[in-house]
Amino acid sequence: MSDSRRTDAVLLLVALVWGSSYLSAQTATSALPVLVVLFARYALSALACLGLIAAGRGKERQRGTDFRLWTREEVRAGLPLGVTQAAVLVVETYGVAHTTAANAGLIISLTIVLTPLLDRAGHPGGLPPAFYAAAGVCVLAVGLLMSGNGFHAPRLGDLLMLGAALVRAVHVALVGRLTTGRPIRPLHLTTFQTVIGTALFLPAAAPDLPALVRADSGTWTQLLYLALFCSVFAFLAQTWAVQRTSASRASLLLGTEPIWAAAIGIALGGEHLTAFTALGATLMVTGTYWGQSVERAHRAAQAKVLAPAAPTRPIPEGSAPGPPLRP
């Protein structure tokens, strides 16, 4: 396998893992309270990240490098990002518990078109009309996904997933503002965020921790999968792959996450694909890809115009057109 194909395969695997996280979270929350699931996911992720840092510490000592667990810049960025990341997962996990895994994965992809609306630094003067047309397609798709077997009052889970998409867009935009141009190590920042999340969820989850201890092996398998694969592995694999390909190609491959979420929810979760949801899924994928391509082209055009006068701000990690950052 060539290097490019290997990189593409890793990015597709990350998208598949993220797409499967909705069904795993739904399964885990059916056995344990949501806050306990979130605490366990954060705590297990924090332990794994700290283990990776400890493993790398020996190599830094061998090179004679001064080791610091977290720098001042990482702490300054990590505190607000840890809080917003925890907020994303709270709303998202409660949403998954009250809707289908397929709907959850599709609706959360609205983040792709919401983020450029919040992070305006890369496109001064506003976005082109085509972007808003793409956003309109996504809004129509959400209405169809919420309709299920016919038009009715929106379900609580779908509304929560809409909120999660908005909060995640805020988080992604904040990542760009707090990390761009600063000497921040991705693994260390992620570790700090997981520690913050663990501390935030511990008090709320403490009364139900005995239920976590008594959880069966199937539930623990889902928790370990969410923590080690959907969080730690996916982030590190994404970072590794993005360094070896273009942002556009990474976005294209990682953008298949909602497709995997729908496919896994239907194939493994026993969910049903109605005409409304099929049309909504098609429009959502079409709208997000269209909006992403419009925003990418507009940003590139703005960069060419502004290049002689002043340097443009680098594209924040996780915002369109680059690969989406996922908590």
Side-chain angles (χ1 to χ4, degrees), residues 20 57 63 67 69 174 207 218 243 272:
S20 68
R57 183 178 181 179
R63 294 195 299 263
F67 175 82
L69 182 57
L174 194 59
Q243 292 173 341
H272 300 289

Side-chain angles (χ1 to χ4, degrees), residues 111-112 115-116 119 122-123 169 172-177 180 238 247 251 292 295-296 299 313-326:
T111 302
I112 294 174
T115 301
D119 182 27
H123 32 77
V172 171
L174 194 59
V175 168
R177 294 182 184 180
T180 299
Q238 173 194 350
S251 294
Q292 191 179 53
E295 197 273 347
R296 180 167 54 244
R299 188 186 290 267
R313 176 185 167 192
I315 298 172
E317 180 184 0
S319 67
L325 180 68
R326 192 152 181 309

Side-chain angles (χ1 to χ4, degrees), residues 4-31:
S4 61
R5 289 183 180 273
R6 186 181 299 110
T7 302
D8 289 351
V10 169
L11 287 169
L12 279 175
L13 179 60
V14 171
L16 189 155
V17 167
W18 281 344
S20 68
S21 68
Y22 302 101
L23 183 59
S24 292
Q26 191 178 65
T27 304
T29 54
S30 67

Side-chain angles (χ1 to χ4, degrees), residues 127-131 134 289-299:
L127 289 157
F131 181 85
Y289 271 100
W290 181 20
Q292 191 179 53
S293 63
V294 169
E295 197 273 347
R296 180 167 54 244
H298 180 67
R299 188 186 290 267

Side-chain angles (χ1 to χ4, degrees), residues 225-240:
Y225 181 74
L226 286 169
L228 302 183
F229 287 89
C230 300
S231 297
V232 180
F233 162 77
F235 177 80
L236 296 176
Q238 173 194 350
T239 303
W240 175 87

Side-chain angles (χ1 to χ4, degrees), residues 129-254:
F131 181 85
Y132 295 98
V137 171
C138 292
V139 171
L140 176 60
V142 170
L144 290 169
L145 290 169
M146 287 182 174
S147 67
N149 293 315
F151 292 105
H152 53 73
R155 287 175 292 188
L156 174 62
D158 293 330
L159 293 176
L160 286 171
M161 292 310 300
L162 274 174
L166 177 60
V167 178
R168 188 193 282 189
V170 171
H171 173 77
V172 171
L174 194 59
V175 168
R177 294 182 184 180
L178 295 178
T179 63
T180 299
R182 293 179 172 88
I184 291 177
R185 298 162 295 179
L187 175 59
H188 291 251
L189 177 62
T190 300
T191 303
F192 190 78
Q193 289 175 255
T194 60
V195 171
I196 292 295
T198 303
L200 288 174
F201 289 119
L202 177 57
D208 295 312
L209 287 182
L212 178 62
V213 176
R214 295 191 300 268
D216 58 27
S217 58
T219 302
W220 273 103
T221 299
Q222 299 295 339
L223 294 173
L224 288 168
Y225 181 74
L226 286 169
L228 302 183
F229 287 89
C230 300
S231 297
V232 180
F233 162 77
F235 177 80
L236 296 176
Q238 173 194 350
T239 303
W240 175 87
V242 167
Q243 292 173 341
R244 290 163 173 78
T245 189
S246 66
S248 298
R249 190 169 184 82
S251 294
L252 182 68
L253 296 170
L254 291 174

